[in-house]
Amino acid sequence: MRTDTTTTTTTVRNLGILAHVDAGKTTLTERFLYATGATYKRGEVHDGTTVTDFDPQERDRGITIFAAAVSCTWDSHRINLIDTPGHVDFSDEVERSLRVLDGAVAVFDAVAGVEPQSESVWRQADRHGVPRIAFVNKMDRVGADLDTAVASLRDRLHVVPLVVQLPIGREDGFTGVVDLVRMRALVWGGGAEPGSFETGDVPGALLEEALRRRRLLEEQVAELHPAALEEYCATSALSAATLSAALRDLTRGGEGVVVLCGSAYRDRAVEPLLDAVVAYLPSPADVPPVRGTGTGRDGGVEERRADPSVPFAALAFKVNATATGRLTCLRVYSGTLRKGDTVLDATAGRTERIGRILRVQADRHTEVDEAVAGDIVAVVGLKSARSGSTLCAPGAPLVLEPPAVAAPVVSVAVEAKTGTEIGRLASALGRLVEEDPSLTVRTDRETGQTLLSGMGELHLEVAVEKIRRSHGLLVDVGRPRVAYRETVARGVSGLVYRHVKQDGGAGQFAHVVIDVEPFDGGGEVAGPGDGGGGRAGDGALVFRSVVVGGRVPQEYVRAVEAGCRDALAEGPLGGHPVTGVRVTLTDGATHSKDSSEMAFRAAGRFALREALRACAMDLLEPVAEVVVTVPDEAVGGVLGDLAARRGRVCGSAVRAGTTAITASVPLAELFGYASRLRSRSQGRGTFTARPTGYAPVPETVRARVLPA
């Protein structure tokens, strides 16, 4: 055990644990805390005694639901660690965590390799540019194979795996690893203390294989790293120091992924992983300065480096309402925050006072006097800050990019059992949305019901159960419903709309002519009046103007686009949001006195609504990629059930007496699938599902979904 309380920005590691469900994230986190002396007893998921899975629902279900932050020290470095959920329904928790992390450990099952959610969280980390190292866990399982798991990393994640360890023993006989960088053996299980290990020479039976793998590692690194290549060409080998430095550079640059292996449950190879975290993953001082937008008139991009002496800037990434008060979790990017400071919530435009600063240990907290650049802490006293809010020094305002929030795909109706609890239910729902931005609450305009929307069936189950447990409310819940979308199948051209209004005062006049057509795509799309390049879109609307001669001024073009976006909220088929539309403003006219941005915004809104009613429209439903793993003898029944659910099988893979079936299935057909799968596979089948997009609804289903 190596600990130290003296830290600087360069000796901090802000780290996330990423993985598929049941790969061993929480167990690994527990072993980190135990190995570093942060805890004195190892918690177990199956016993409900883990530090990070402290919520009663997490302990009941045996899975991580809420991202939890803990802190520990190793080799004079402080590690701020976030244990993230592995279930796809809680991917928004992973997204918010990745936004504030500098590095991550991706955990993979030594038998299953890269699983569907492993791939999803890996792509999320790619988008945020978070450097990673890989840990192949459960090397003690029957069928565990490091080489097969590494091959799945290469094939499915398209990375360059740099394997720095060789396992000693197989399956239940796994006792340690050979460190290929320093060419030494680390063997566990010989001491009285769990996790104690001995260092020695490489076993003779493994020496030849270890030398071969060391040579392969040197060749891989030399191909990727110029300094290593120079030494390799000169000496035909790499020293341990050169190899370690090159691995650090390749990891932080994203050019390679260092791969280690072990068994977290048996406390084997956890310490070398901690050493790798310190050696290879970046500190806050190693990452580029954070970039934000100034709040001045020019709104230019500003940078803040990880320096305690520069103006303060932090991003709120999680809000928790607890019995002791409202906790707001912050990543401090620059400057120093002290207890009692007044800070600016640049997102809301109001000042707040910091009551207390807490070092977070899951559901336990230690009060500190200050937090500096690179810290992850919680603060008490903020009233308006939400997840994604930027806090900064009042004299140096800055707005940081907030974490992206995915659109919900499933809804349920919730209502209080008694009329006297309606107000309490509204308050509880408001607090839920405040804590979890991926949840939304709205009132159905036709039925008057309160609809709670989220990322999946389990997500909503957890949210409703939280209302019942935390707020003591009895609620009725309707059957889950998916979030449909509408899109244009065949467009219209030359639709003319004149907005003329006279009410005794200043009038309103706007004349627009638009073309509407389908658009299949997203990302960078064209903006108004810029000739086809220019603004970031979400795939719902692509808008451009081809008006010439100044017939519609630029500010009115922007107003027309804003009006068109307003019109996308409700489509003509069933009032569902509209997506995949390309609108071209082809002509228009103004009035010298009565035209205004408000008039052209109204014209854009009404024109597109009228155009959509004239278009041929398609109804879209969310589709999920489902991976079902069942015993070989149950494959036939599972395939038949998937076909009955309108599933389309995309492939299958056979391994160790089981078959993994990959299929594309409408999300609406997956409600209750878990219990059906258990009955068809005698309780031995498992499945994962992740939303992959939208697809047209067949006519037979469309007639059932749309109102008569």
Side-chain angles (χ1 to χ4, degrees):
M1 182 192 311
R2 291 170 284 177
T3 62
D4 187 18
T5 56
T6 304
T7 57
T8 64
T9 304
T10 58
T11 57
V12 171
R13 299 292 183 271
N14 291 315
L15 173 71
I17 307 292
L18 312 175
H20 187 86
V21 177
D22 287 337
K25 299 180 307 299
T26 301
T27 300
L28 181 61
T29 302
E30 288 296 317
R31 300 309 184 259
F32 275 1
L33 296 176
Y34 183 77
T36 58
T39 60
Y40 296 95
K41 183 180 179 181
R42 296 175 302 164
E44 303 293 354
V45 173
H46 54 270
D47 292 335
T49 56
T50 58
V51 172
T52 53
D53 286 354
F54 58 85
D55 187 271
Q57 288 200 71
E58 293 179 310
R59 294 185 171 178
D60 290 347
R61 298 173 186 268
I63 61 171
T64 300
I65 296 173
F66 308 106
V70 292
S71 184
C72 57
T73 55
W74 180 258
D75 196 18
S76 302
H77 289 70
R78 185 172 69 246
I79 299 175
N80 296 318
L81 190 152
I82 298 180
D83 178 22
T84 65
H87 197 286
V88 65
D89 281 19
F90 309 105
S91 57
D92 198 64
E93 289 273 330
V94 182
E95 184 74 19
R96 293 198 299 274
S97 299
L98 284 170
R99 174 63 180 83
V100 299
L101 294 173
D102 301 322
V105 173
V107 183
F108 301 93
D109 189 305
V111 177
V114 177
E115 297 174 272
Q117 187 61 8
S118 310
E119 193 170 351
S120 295
V121 296
W122 190 273
R123 303 301 176 208
Q124 286 179 282
D126 279 343
R127 290 198 301 272
H128 289 277
V130 175
R132 281 139 284 169
I133 57 179
F135 181 67
V136 179
N137 192 26
K138 302 187 179 182
M139 289 296 297
D140 56 326
R141 278 189 63 189
V142 174
D145 188 275
L146 176 62
D147 291 338
T148 302
V150 170
S152 72
L153 265 70
R154 185 184 298 107
D155 297 339
R156 297 198 60 176
L157 303 181
H158 309 291
V159 299
V160 179
L162 303 171
V163 183
V164 298
Q165 290 178 343
L166 171 66
I168 300 175
R170 291 180 58 84
E171 299 177 350
D172 195 52
F174 172 73
T175 57
V177 296
V178 174
D179 178 358
L180 298 177
V181 176
R182 295 172 179 81
M183 289 305 291
R184 58 179 182 170
L186 307 175
V187 180
W188 280 259
E193 280 292 317
S196 61
F197 65 96
E198 296 177 353
T199 303
D201 295 332
V202 179
L206 292 176
L207 183 57
E208 184 178 348
E209 178 64 11
L211 289 172
R212 185 186 72 81
R213 292 185 180 236
R214 166 63 185 243
R215 170 66 61 171
L216 178 62
L217 177 62
E218 290 176 345
E219 291 173 354
Q220 285 183 295
V221 170
E223 288 179 1
L224 299 170
H225 194 275
L229 178 60
E230 287 185 17
E231 182 173 320
Y232 188 80
C233 291
T235 65
S236 299
L238 294 179
S239 66
T242 299
L243 185 55
S244 183
L247 289 171
R248 179 175 61 250
D249 293 342
L250 294 174
T251 299
R252 296 177 182 183
E255 300 165 87
V257 177
V258 171
V259 181
L260 302 95
C261 64
S263 170
Y265 180 68
R266 293 197 178 186
D267 286 286
R268 293 176 182 173
V270 173
E271 291 86 354
L273 180 58
L274 282 165
D275 288 335
V277 165
V278 169
Y280 304 134
L281 292 179
S283 71
D286 296 322
V287 299
V290 68
R291 296 165 65 90
T293 305
T295 59
R297 298 184 62 180
D298 56 352
V301 175
E302 297 182 18
E303 291 186 347
R304 297 275 172 87
R305 67 184 187 276
D307 185 341
S309 63
V310 303
F312 167 72
L315 184 71
F317 66 94
K318 190 175 180 64
V319 175
N320 281 332
T322 69
T324 58
R326 188 172 182 271
L327 297 182
T328 305
C329 294
L330 306 178
R331 161 65 192 267
V332 181
Y333 282 101
S334 66
T336 301
L337 178 68
R338 295 180 178 85
K339 184 170 60 175
D341 279 356
T342 297
V343 298
L344 172 68
D345 181 346
T347 308
R350 58 175 290 177
T351 56
E352 299 261 28
R353 185 178 180 276
I354 303 298
R356 292 187 294 155
I357 303 174
L358 306 174
R359 183 80 61 198
V360 180
Q361 201 76 353
D363 60 337
R364 300 189 296 271
H365 316 102
T366 303
E367 190 164 345
V368 295
D369 292 328
E370 65 178 26
V372 299
D375 271 340
I376 291 179
V377 295
V379 297
V380 179
L382 303 184
K383 298 178 181 179
S384 66
R386 302 289 186 267
S387 176
S389 294
T390 300
L391 301 178
C392 57
L398 183 75
V399 177
L400 303 176
E401 181 183 358
V405 179
V409 294
V410 181
S411 302
V412 292
V414 292
E415 60 181 31
K417 280 188 175 291
T418 63
T420 58
E421 293 186 333
I422 293 177
R424 289 182 60 206
L425 176 59
S427 176
L429 289 171
R431 182 170 293 181
L432 270 183
V433 173
E434 182 180 328
E435 294 184 352
D436 186 353
S438 61
L439 291 169
T440 62
V441 177
R442 65 182 178 89
T443 302
D444 188 285
R445 60 186 178 89
E446 295 181 355
T447 65
Q449 291 178 305
T450 299
L451 298 181
L452 177 64
S453 303
M455 302 303 297
E457 194 174 6
L458 179 60
H459 190 200
L460 295 179
E461 282 181 18
V462 168
V464 171
E465 187 63 22
K466 191 168 185 179
I467 291 175
R468 290 170 175 154
R469 293 191 184 194
S470 301
H471 301 275
L473 287 170
L474 298 177
V475 295
D476 290 325
V477 182
R479 186 179 184 275
R481 298 186 297 177
V482 300
Y484 292 97
R485 296 286 186 268
E486 299 177 23
T487 193
V488 175
R490 187 179 64 252
V492 296
S493 300
L495 186 135
V496 179
Y497 187 85
R498 289 170 60 88
H499 180 71
V500 181
K501 186 176 181 181
Q502 295 288 342
D503 55 5
Q508 294 184 27
F509 178 88
H511 175 93
V512 296
V513 182
I514 61 172
D515 294 344
V516 178
E517 57 187 327
F519 167 69
D520 183 15
E524 294 297 319
V525 299
D530 59 10
R535 59 169 282 117
D538 57 5
L541 173 70
V542 174
F543 183 91
R544 63 174 182 162
S545 171
V546 295
V547 178
V548 296
R551 292 176 59 81
V552 180
Q554 184 63 40
E555 60 270 23
Y556 293 166
V557 172
R558 287 193 289 267
V560 174
E561 180 185 0
C564 289
R565 292 191 181 277
D566 294 341
L568 299 180
E570 295 181 359
L573 292 180
H576 306 291
V578 180
T579 189
V581 180
R582 187 194 303 275
V583 176
T584 304
L585 180 64
T586 60
D587 200 2
T590 63
H591 187 277
S592 58
K593 293 183 179 180
D594 293 344
S595 289
S596 64
E597 291 185 26
M598 182 174 67
F600 272 89
R601 181 164 185 160
R605 180 171 66 253
F606 293 125
L608 184 53
R609 284 183 181 174
E610 190 173 307
L612 292 176
R613 287 194 291 268
C615 291
M617 302 292 292
D618 269 345
L619 185 68
L620 304 177
E621 63 180 344
V623 176
E625 179 190 74
V626 179
V627 179
V628 187
T629 303
V630 292
D632 292 341
E633 60 269 21
V635 169
V638 169
L639 288 174
D641 189 45
L642 288 174
R645 295 173 185 270
R646 298 191 283 127
R648 180 172 55 85
V649 176
C650 307
S652 63
V654 179
R655 56 173 179 249
T658 62
T659 300
I661 304 165
T662 303
S664 178
V665 186
L667 197 61
E669 303 291 345
L670 289 176
F671 297 137
Y673 182 60
S675 58
R676 185 65 175 269
L677 177 62
R678 283 193 295 269
S679 66
R680 286 189 173 272
S681 63
Q682 297 180 336
R684 298 162 63 195
T686 61
F687 83 100
T688 61
R690 63 184 182 95
T692 55
Y694 282 79
V697 175
E699 283 297 327
T700 53
V701 180
R702 174 171 165 159
R704 188 171 70 243
V705 171
L706 293 177

